Every structure is written in structure tokens, then in C-alpha cells.
């Protein structure tokens, strides 16, 4: 599974744009803002690292500058991510 597929399965409400280290743009979810949050990767290996261990590598990449957030803040992105994670878990619980 690729990181893009994983993120598109996760983000059901709102979304963001992801730009990889080769400047290829991906739309994740369904962004609702005119200027959605943009996550820019400056390291070619970051997509693989995030798929393996996002808890470690997201924060590390943000702190060392190989992940840049545009049109928003880290807090804005985390709010969006946690909202979608909560939706995933509440819909899973409803299915049981």
C-alpha cells in the first residue's frame, strides 16, 4: 500500500494537498477550503518512512524541515487528521 492510498482511505472529511519531493501534487480527501493545507515533502524517503512509522517520522521531519506545512499550521493539520481518525474509529465501532 502506498502512503497516498492510505491517506485517501483515512481522510473522509475535508482534506489537504500533498506535494512530494519531486513536486508532484496529490489531493488527499476532499479539501473544502479555497486554499487547503499543503504538506510539502523535501525528502524522497519520507513517504516510505511515514508509512512505516508515522508517529516517529512525522514529528522528526517537521522539526528538521524536511516536511513543510503551507496555508495552515501544524495545529490545523493535526486537527484535520485527528478529526478523520476519530471518524474512522467511530464508524468501525458502529459496524460491530
Amino acid at each position: 500500500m502506498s502512503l497516498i492510498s492510505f491517506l485517501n482511505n483515512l481522510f473522509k472529511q475535508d482534506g489537504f494537498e500533498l506535494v512530494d519531493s519531486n513536486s508532484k501534487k496529490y489531493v488527499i480527501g476532499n479539501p473544502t477550503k479555497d486554499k487547503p493545507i499543503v504538506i510539502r515533502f523535501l525528502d524522497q524517503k519520507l513517504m516510505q518512512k511515514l508509512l512505516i512509522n508515522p508517529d516517529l517520522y512525522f514529528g522528526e521531519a517537521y522539526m528538521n524541515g524536511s516536511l513543510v506545512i503551507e496555508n495552515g499550521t501544524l495545529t490545523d493539520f493535526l486537527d484535520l487528521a485527528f478529526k478523520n481518525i476519530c471518524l474512522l474509529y467511530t464508524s468501525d465501532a458502529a459496524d460491530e
Side-chain angles (χ1 to χ4, degrees):
M1 173 183 278
S2 75
L3 180 64
I4 302 305
S5 297
F6 173 78
L7 291 172
N8 273 313
N9 286 329
L10 176 63
F11 282 81
K12 301 298 183 191
Q13 279 191 359
D14 205 349
F16 63 98
E17 291 180 3
L18 188 146
V19 181
D20 70 14
S21 61
N22 295 317
S23 298
K24 184 171 180 182
K25 290 184 180 183
Y26 302 90
V27 176
I28 305 299
N30 186 21
T32 58
K33 297 179 183 172
D34 289 336
K35 286 189 163 189
I37 294 172
V38 176
I39 304 294
R40 186 174 301 275
F41 293 166
L42 304 178
D43 177 357
Q44 285 185 326
K45 296 179 183 176
L46 190 53
M47 279 195 169
Q48 294 167 333
K49 289 179 176 180
L50 287 172
L51 195 54
I52 294 167
N53 192 345
D55 293 344
L56 172 65
Y57 292 117
F58 185 88
E60 182 179 278
Y62 181 77
M63 293 303 293
N64 73 21
S66 61
L67 181 150
V68 177
I69 300 173
E70 301 170 356
N71 299 336
T73 64
L74 176 61
T75 302
D76 295 334
F77 177 73
L78 292 176
D79 285 344
L80 177 62
F82 289 137
K83 177 173 69 172
N84 280 280
I85 291 167
C86 286
L87 286 172
L88 178 70
Y89 283 107
T90 56
S91 68
D92 285 349
D95 293 339
E96 291 180 359

